[in-house]
Structures are given as structure tokens and as C-alpha cells.
Amino acid sequence: MAYDNSTGTFLLFSIGNGSATPGNCTQRAAPSVGAADPAAAGIITLSHSSSANGPWVTLSTPALSGRPGKWDAFVTNPSVHVFDNGTVLMAYRGGWSPWHVGLAVAPSWRGPYVRVSDEPAFPIQNEDPGLFVDQRGNFHMLTHYFG
């Protein structure tokens, strides 16, 4: 969960669109990324509320969608930082083995979210980014590295 101080809005970034429950969570095969299966289409959705207790409203379009044929055809595991002016920085996992981390920015939580680069943020395989800012204002990102 994130909070936008500039608008007083709580933000909940999620993976998929919640339209289906997985039938078998033990399968190790890559999920379908086809348009016929939107819950597994590798999208990041955003819900917002004026209270952490809700009610929550989900935006009608994904905050970020996968790009077919690119390294991030499947996007998941968002981590965000909301700046004081409302600008949002999002780190996300792209791809399906190998995994990489990408970055996107938006002028506000409403979007549009635009990728910083067409390439992954790091040349090495990693996933599950966690963004945070320390007390001095320095940005950090922790990831799961595959060495």
C-alpha cells in the first residue's frame, strides 16, 4: 500500500485483475498471457480510497500492462514510491524466467505510467523489487538476485 500526501489518497497496487481464482497453485508452468485470460495476463491494477479501511475503487484500466513480444510481456510485483508532488515511481518484475526489473513513472497515481526504458533496469536476472527512501532521501531497491 502507498499513500499520496498531495491528495490524501491510499493506493493499493495489485497483480492481475482479480477476475478468477487459480484452480491449481502447484503448477510450475508459465501462466497464459493471452487476452482471453485477463486474470493471468500479467497486468498491474490500482485501487484507491480516502481511507485505509475502504471502500476501494479500482481504476478501469491497468496501471501497467505487459508488452507482447518484449522482455516484459508479463508484469507483476509492483513496488511504488509517491513523491510529495504526487509523481509516482514504480519498479516491477517483467518477464517469465528469466525475470528482470523495470521502472515506470507517472505524473500522478492516476497515470499514465510510462516505462523509463525499453530495456530492464539491470542487465542481470532479478525480481521482486522493493523500493524505499532512507532518512537522508537516498533511494534504495532490494531485489531477489539470481547469481
Side-chain angles (χ1 to χ4, degrees):
M1 186 179 318
Y3 184 74
D4 181 355
N5 286 317
S6 69
T7 62
T9 306
F10 289 89
L11 307 170
L12 184 60
F13 290 82
S14 304
I15 56 177
N17 67 3
S19 67
T21 302
N24 182 350
C25 294
T26 62
Q27 291 178 336
R28 298 197 64 135
S32 168
V33 188
D37 190 9
I43 60 173
I44 296 170
T45 54
L46 172 58
S47 300
H48 59 93
S49 177
S50 59
S51 167
N53 295 319
W56 293 90
V57 176
T58 302
L59 296 182
S60 61
T61 58
L64 195 68
S65 297
R67 298 182 297 168
K70 302 285 187 177
W71 70 270
D72 58 354
F74 188 91
V75 295
T76 188
N77 302 1
S79 180
V80 300
H81 176 78
V82 183
F83 293 87
D84 290 340
N85 67 359
T87 301
V88 179
L89 171 64
M90 177 194 294
Y92 65 93
R93 185 189 96 190
W96 189 266
S97 191
W99 303 288
H100 290 285
V101 171
L103 297 170
V105 294
S108 82
W109 58 264
R110 290 178 177 87
Y113 290 82
V114 177
R115 287 167 173 82
V116 172
S117 172
D118 283 336
E119 300 301 321
F122 310 107
I124 55 174
Q125 182 177 341
N126 56 68
E127 67 168 345
D128 303 337
L131 286 174
F132 67 96
V133 180
D134 67 23
Q135 290 182 345
R136 296 181 193 167
N138 298 308
F139 279 82
H140 301 273
M141 183 189 306
L142 296 177
T143 67
H144 176 198
Y145 167 67
F146 295 85

